[in-house]
């Protein structure tokens, strides 16, 4: 039976238009990432409601797989589900990426972006063309 673990990558945006690079080592026992979720932590001005705050991209396995490209939107509180992701991990790999803030407002307030990765410790079934991860 596969055990699911969640990796959290937290980024602090201090200035409008800031570009933040990140690297996060995934423990070697995790072999597959099956989902991700991007969220904003903090209070934003109401004028920014339903606007895109920024964009994130992330690569796995020594930059060989750019598996995540997502926009972060400031919305009314709503529970967001994990988006599908199927990445077989090489042992001890690093997730690398960049977050670009897209706010052009003078009402900028610092905020934090959290990227949640849902990963498992067992590989899923493989196909002839590409390995696929499965969730339980």
């Amino acid at each position: 039976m596969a055990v699911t673990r969640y990796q959290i990558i937290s980024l602090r945006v201090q200035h409008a238009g800031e570009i933040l690079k990140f690297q996060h080592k995934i423990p070697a026992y995790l072999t597959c990432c099956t989902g991700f979720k991007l969220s904003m932590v903090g209070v934003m001005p109401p004028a920014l409601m339903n606007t895109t705050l920024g964009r994130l991209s992330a690569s796995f396995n020594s930059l060989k797989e750019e598996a995540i490209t997502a926009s972060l939107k400031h919305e009314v509180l709503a529970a967001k589900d994990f988006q599908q992701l199927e990445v077989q991990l090489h042992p001890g790999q690093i997730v690398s990426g960049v977050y670009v803030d897209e706010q052009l407002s003078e009402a900028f307030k610092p905020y934090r972006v959290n990227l949640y990765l849902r990963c498992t410790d067992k590989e899923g079934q493989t196909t002839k063309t590409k390995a696929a991860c499965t969730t339980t």
Side-chain angles (χ1 to χ4, degrees):
M1 182 165 99
V3 176
T4 300
R5 296 286 184 248
Y6 295 90
Q7 301 292 302
I8 303 171
I9 301 168
S10 189
L11 306 168
R12 187 167 200 76
V13 181
Q14 298 288 341
H15 309 287
E18 189 170 12
I19 299 172
L20 298 169
K21 295 179 183 177
F22 64 89
Q23 291 186 333
H24 177 79
K25 184 171 176 125
I26 297 180
Y29 70 90
L30 295 174
T31 59
C32 181
C33 282
T34 60
F36 76 95
K37 181 166 64 168
L38 190 61
S39 70
M40 187 268 305
V41 179
V43 178
M44 299 300 285
L48 296 177
M49 189 62 66
N50 296 321
T51 61
T52 300
L53 299 177
R55 299 191 186 282
L56 180 132
S57 66
S59 299
F60 294 79
N61 299 325
S62 301
L63 303 175
K64 292 179 182 169
E65 295 181 59
E66 185 174 359
I68 300 174
T69 55
S71 295
L72 177 62
K73 193 171 183 180
H74 178 45
E75 301 174 312
V76 177
L77 292 177
K80 291 188 177 182
D81 290 332
F82 276 79
Q83 295 182 40
Q84 286 297 105
L85 182 65
E86 292 188 9
V87 176
Q88 293 289 339
L89 299 171
H90 301 200
Q93 285 297 311
I94 294 175
V95 176
S96 304
V98 64
Y99 177 80
V100 179
D101 179 80
E102 294 185 344
Q103 294 183 61
L104 301 176
S105 170
E106 292 179 13
F108 178 85
K109 287 190 175 188
Y111 63 99
R112 191 171 54 220
V113 175
N114 285 341
L115 172 63
Y116 301 90
L117 298 173
R118 180 179 61 209
C119 302
T120 62
D121 64 351
K122 296 205 177 185
E123 294 183 25
Q125 300 294 326
T126 60
T127 62
K128 291 182 182 178
T129 58
K130 185 178 177 183
C133 301
T134 58
T135 57
T136 57

